[in-house]
């Protein structure tokens, strides 16, 4: 029983980390889009 409980805890921890990574990737993508828009508006015209 202890083993399966530990496994469940581990998967929960992994899910949390995966969510964290997804959030970081999303924020980076958003920052890149904003930077591209700003850069285009400054140097595009």
């Amino acid at each position: 029983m202890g083993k399966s409980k530990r496994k469940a805890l581990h998967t929960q921890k992994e899910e949390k980390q995966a969510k964290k990574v997804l959030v970081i990737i999303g924020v980076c993508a958003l920052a890149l889009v904003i930077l591209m828009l700003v850069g285009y508006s400054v140097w595009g015209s």
Side-chain angles (χ1 to χ4, degrees):
M1 195 203 139
K3 231 180 191 179
S4 62
K5 206 172 186 182
R6 208 181 301 145
K7 206 173 186 182
L9 234 161
H10 190 65
T11 49
Q12 214 173 22
K13 203 175 175 186
E14 279 181 348
E15 274 177 33
K16 241 183 190 173
Q17 203 166 358
K19 256 187 189 170
K20 209 178 187 181
V21 169
L22 278 172
V23 167
I24 290 168
I25 290 170
V27 168
C28 285
L30 206 71
L32 266 171
V33 168
I34 292 168
L35 270 169
M36 280 172 69
L37 283 170
V38 169
Y40 186 73
S41 64
V42 169
W43 291 294
S45 49

